[in-house]
Amino acid sequence: MKRKRMIILIVTIVAFVFIGGMHFLYLNERYGSELYQAVNTMSVCCKRLAKSIDSLEKEFKAAANDPDDEVNRVLFDNRLAEIRIMLEYDEMPFTEEVRLEYMDRLEELYLQTYSDEDLAYAFTNEEESEKMANLKNQLEALNDACMDYIESNSSRMVDWRQYFVSWRNERKIFSDKASLILND
């Protein structure tokens, strides 16, 4: 009788350990999927904001030649709001420190381009337009880093390896790359 209880106890413990391990593998896979999706979304946001900056640069150059030409800032404002909202409410795809760095930089951009006059100054002043071109380059570099991440991990997202990858480590590596891009 004592032997049966011992066997039942051991089987129960093994079952709980097995179920717990499977649950942790499932949670790791979900984390990896969320990270992959967040990097993909960040890529889209970066590309859109960089394109809107490029579009505004062209519009301000055209407006310099023709004073009657009006600059439309709606797309730029929408793209900036889109990426700011993403970083404000979603902790992915960056670690907290890097997310705050990007939020600070985008908040600075928002304040720098708040009014129409500020926006015009940011794109027509030589020094400020250089900063804007640098930001556009940083966004394009971040988009490239996102695309590299997506391409390197797309094969993992469709097979059993995704359960065993350290996605927290992958997130840290990606965040470090993003931080280097912003601080160059």
Side-chain angles (χ1 to χ4, degrees), residues 100-114:
L100 290 175
E101 286 177 25
Y102 273 91
M103 282 180 60
D104 289 344
R105 178 60 184 108
L106 293 170
E107 184 66 23
E108 178 186 322
L109 177 63
Y110 173 75
L111 294 174
Q112 179 184 5
T113 60
Y114 184 74

Side-chain angles (χ1 to χ4, degrees), residues 54-101:
D54 189 47
S55 175
L56 274 179
E57 285 175 344
K58 291 175 184 172
E59 285 190 45
F60 276 107
K61 284 180 184 175
N65 297 333
D66 183 9
D68 293 333
D69 206 5
E70 195 171 304
V71 174
N72 186 354
R73 67 176 292 155
V74 174
L75 184 63
F76 172 77
D77 289 339
N78 288 339
R79 299 308 183 209
L80 181 57
E82 177 183 56
I83 197 167
R84 287 176 67 218
I85 288 170
M86 181 196 170
L87 288 171
E88 178 120 4
Y89 295 109
D90 193 1
E91 67 180 33
M92 293 282 197
F94 304 128
T95 57
E96 185 67 15
E97 301 82 30
V98 176
R99 183 180 75 86
L100 290 175
E101 286 177 25

